[in-house]
Amino acid sequence: MGPDLLRDGHRPAHGGDAGRRGKGLRPTRGARREDQPLGGDALAPVVNHRDLCLVTGASGYIGGRLVPELLDAGHRVRCMARSARRLRDHPWAGRVEIVEADATDPEATRRALDGVDVAYYLIHAIGGAGGFAENDRRAARTFADAARDAKVRRLVYLGGMDPDEELSPHLRSRAEVGRIMLDHGPPTVWLRAAVIIGSGSASFEMLRYLTERLPIMVTPRWVHTRIQPIAIRDVLHYLVASADLPADVNRGFDIGGPDVLTYADMMRRYAAVAGLKRRLIVPVPVLSPALSSLWVGGITPVPGGLARPLVESLRNEVVCTENDIARYVPPPPDGPIGFDRSVALALRRVQQADVTTRWSSAGVPGAPSDPLPTDPDWAGGTLYTDDRTCRADAPPERLWEVIEGIGGKHGWYSFPIAWRARGVLDRLVGGVGLRRGRRDPRRLRIGETVDFWRVEEIETNTLLRLRAEMRLPGLAWLELRVSDENGRAVLNQRALFHPRGLAGHAYWWTFRPFHNRIFNRMCHNITHAAEQTPP
């Protein structure tokens, strides 16, 4: 699992100059004084953009986003995985070297590190059962020793912040991993982050589901815990830059965004950014971490094995106590991203997740916070689908003619009265209804309206995707795709609904019986119309 899934608490590492404040840290030539402004050539590390970087945990949330960032920065990348098959669906798989190794296997790990300049350690046993701490300890020691023996120049570890209070077993284990890296490996940078905001991050998804599904929340006392969240884009910025830090830097650094919030603040501000009504939060003192994790598991689809350590860690206040990283790494080009903007960016990807990132580039492609096709199926929010496949005794071109002429005077090929009633209902609540029709009865273009839909994508003879503009408690699409099966046309019809809050989920399940009949008849009637179209 990627380290974004934890809000690790770590105590300062012992020995050498591994302390929190950089004890014994010697400025390198050209390094910036603490009172010197950032910018220019003040930082002066020696950069070799042909370094070979090894990334562990590349199938996880952080690792899967770090790899393309390193490639874009000019580095060569090798990914270490227990199974190479887990990486084959990533879009960057053909641009990297993939080696199979288990971090607890000294010989395999040593071979994987051969010739590596910078190694990223992103392995955590979050959600593991008994013995996870020993497994973490053994893997970290094996990797650190192998990296030192392989003469790796720099090791980078992403963990959690370091509150001076009692930590949960999982957080204590993460702290121990950091100390092992600093004490036994080559020069190490230990980046300590709190909640990472980005679609697909378990911490963010838990926040998202709790806020969207519960207008009124009875919550444990941890909602008043102070947290300094950080955007995924900023985390990746620091991870990439850490590869070029001077050789004598061997320590931890706190990294965080510009906002310090309680968890209750985060839920309220999430609701505001998402356009939801203000959430009523009622904290109670009786929900233990165990009960809280059961509650979270019942409300959200985040697996229980992840929910419990996330909830347990929320009792620790995680706020940056230093900003020493600024001595070596300038802030991101546009400055650190605040909580509201990071949520807005993540939500834009979430709303498009299983639509635009899979089928089109309607969003900004390649952004580090984009959901990936290999993210867990609970990431990015619920997406309800209705899939139908129908075959026509007609060539694909005829089926496409029917599809491109849909709506307007041709209607929607199923229950005309129901469609008209839906249009009237939409107008009654201030929507556009069916009154817009369409500009041309035979041809469509991207951006045109078709009744209460808008053309979002069209590929002649292949694909028509419409986005609903009716009043709905969520986002809806209708996709009609044509394929050729031995000269016969095949229609793949897919309706998608991305609910917004509890009302959205209620809407889908309430109208599902009607949708089943409407979409089933629609699929069959479209193919039948293609069979009746004269050659």
Side-chain angles (χ1 to χ4, degrees):
M1 291 291 182
D4 63 289
L5 302 180
L6 288 175
R7 295 169 56 255
D8 307 350
H10 297 290
R11 294 185 177 85
H14 305 292
D17 49 10
R20 170 178 292 281
R21 298 290 176 181
K23 181 179 178 181
L25 187 66
R26 300 187 302 277
T28 57
R29 185 179 63 178
R32 184 183 66 86
R33 300 189 312 272
E34 292 194 32
D35 59 349
Q36 182 178 349
L38 291 168
D41 297 324
L43 304 178
V46 177
V47 179
N48 178 5
H49 287 303
R50 294 305 299 164
D51 280 347
L52 176 59
C53 298
L54 178 82
V55 178
T56 64
S59 61
Y61 176 71
I62 295 292
R65 286 159 172 76
L66 175 61
V67 169
E69 294 295 299
L70 290 171
L71 291 169
D72 290 345
H75 296 292
R76 295 174 294 136
V77 176
R78 177 186 296 165
C79 296
M80 183 180 112
R82 284 181 294 180
S83 172
R85 294 179 58 194
R86 297 191 62 189
L87 303 179
R88 69 181 183 186
D89 291 332
H90 286 268
W92 39 258
R95 301 171 59 196
V96 304
E97 179 186 354
I98 300 175
V99 297
E100 290 191 341
D102 189 313
T104 60
D105 183 335
E107 294 184 4
T109 301
R110 175 61 181 82
R111 288 194 299 269
L113 286 162
D114 187 44
V116 168
D117 300 291
V118 180
Y120 287 87
Y121 192 77
L122 306 175
I123 298 173
H124 290 325
I126 183 170
F132 72 90
E134 173 57 31
N135 291 337
D136 269 353
R137 183 182 306 116
R138 185 157 56 97
R141 183 62 183 264
T142 299
F143 192 88
D145 289 344
R148 185 191 63 243
D149 293 344
K151 295 182 170 48
V152 171
R153 175 173 57 81
R154 161 72 57 207
L155 198 156
V156 182
Y157 169 62
L158 177 62
M161 286 188 181
D162 190 359
D164 291 326
E165 53 191 84
E166 183 179 355
L167 304 176
S168 71
H170 280 274
L171 301 186
R172 287 199 301 272
S173 178
R174 302 290 79 76
E176 186 177 14
V177 168
R179 290 193 292 270
I180 289 171
M181 295 296 171
L182 288 165
D183 294 343
H184 297 280
T188 297
V189 170
W190 173 9
L191 297 179
R192 300 182 288 240
V195 170
I196 296 176
I197 304 298
S199 69
S201 159
S203 296
F204 174 72
E205 296 299 337
M206 189 176 81
L207 170 69
R208 163 183 154 70
Y209 278 108
L210 288 175
T211 308
E212 288 197 352
R213 294 189 172 182
L214 297 176
I216 301 176
M217 289 173 274
V218 178
T219 59
R221 287 178 295 178
W222 48 253
V223 297
H224 294 308
T225 300
R226 294 202 315 153
I227 301 166
Q228 190 165 352
I230 183 170
I232 176 61
R233 296 187 183 190
D234 292 348
V235 172
L236 294 173
H237 168 79
Y238 289 116
L239 281 169
V240 174
S242 294
D244 298 319
L245 261 61
D248 62 346
V249 176
N250 185 63
R251 58 163 293 182
F253 295 95
D254 290 347
I255 57 172
D259 301 309
V260 176
L261 308 164
T262 66
Y263 204 84
D265 292 335
M266 291 169 61
M267 288 191 284
R268 292 190 183 101
R269 288 175 67 164
Y270 177 97
V273 173
L276 302 171
K277 292 183 179 179
R278 181 177 175 83
R279 269 33 190 166
L280 178 61
I281 300 172
V282 183
V284 294
V286 295
L287 288 181
S288 67
L291 290 175
S292 295
S293 63
L294 292 175
W295 172 67
V296 170
I299 297 299
T300 80
V302 176
L306 300 183
R308 178 154 188 163
L310 286 172
V311 168
E312 287 177 337
S313 67
L314 287 171
R315 72 189 186 200
N316 296 121
E317 183 173 287
V318 279
V319 177
C320 294
T321 61
E322 46 85 5
N323 187 35
D324 293 351
I325 191 70
R327 297 175 58 191
Y328 303 97
V329 179
D334 297 325
I337 298 176
F339 178 80
D340 290 355
R341 183 177 168 225
S342 63
V343 168
L345 290 170
L347 280 178
R348 187 169 69 187
R349 307 301 186 258
V350 165
Q351 290 167 354
Q352 300 171 350
D354 283 281
V355 178
T356 56
T357 56
R358 179 176 295 177
W359 304 316
S360 77
S361 57
V364 179
S369 55
D370 285 357
L372 300 178
T374 47
D375 276 346
D377 56 9
W378 47 262
T382 302
L383 187 71
Y384 293 117
T385 64
D386 182 283
D387 294 279
R388 312 276 171 173
T389 299
C390 298
R391 289 166 174 79
D393 188 14
E397 294 79 10
R398 288 195 211 166
L399 179 58
W400 177 255
E401 289 177 6
V402 176
I403 291 173
E404 194 172 9
I406 202 167
K409 70 176 184 178
H410 292 132
W412 295 90
Y413 295 93
S414 65
F415 298 102
I417 294 177
W419 284 94
R420 285 196 292 269
R422 184 65 181 86
V424 171
L425 178 62
D426 193 54
R427 292 186 65 179
L428 289 176
V429 296
V432 297
L434 295 175
R435 59 190 172 186
R436 295 188 301 186
R438 49 179 292 159
R439 179 189 63 85
D440 187 302
R442 298 180 58 195
R443 298 287 179 263
L444 291 174
R445 298 184 307 211
I446 289 179
E448 287 188 335
T449 58
V450 183
D451 297 332
F452 42 43
W453 305 86
R454 186 176 297 276
V455 180
E456 189 170 82
E457 182 62 83
I458 184 168
E459 299 174 11
T460 301
N461 294 323
T462 302
L463 169 69
L464 172 64
R465 189 171 73 247
L466 304 173
R467 179 168 180 159
E469 293 191 341
M470 64 191 82
R471 291 295 182 95
L472 291 169
L475 302 172
W477 293 265
L478 177 63
E479 180 188 79
L480 304 168
R481 186 181 294 272
V482 178
S483 58
D484 190 334
E485 188 177 88
N486 299 321
R488 295 181 59 196
V490 178
L491 169 61
N492 296 109
Q493 175 184 293
R494 194 179 196 197
L496 303 100
F497 182 66
H498 181 77
R500 182 181 179 188
L502 191 60
H505 295 275
Y507 171 87
W508 174 264
W509 291 109
T510 299
F511 287 96
R512 186 179 183 185
F514 302 100
H515 290 160
N516 284 342
R517 297 190 64 191
I518 288 171
F519 290 130
N520 183 61
R521 181 170 293 190
M522 182 179 181
C523 185
H524 286 286
N525 286 351
I526 288 177
T527 52
H528 180 70
E531 293 171 343
Q532 304 304 310
T533 302

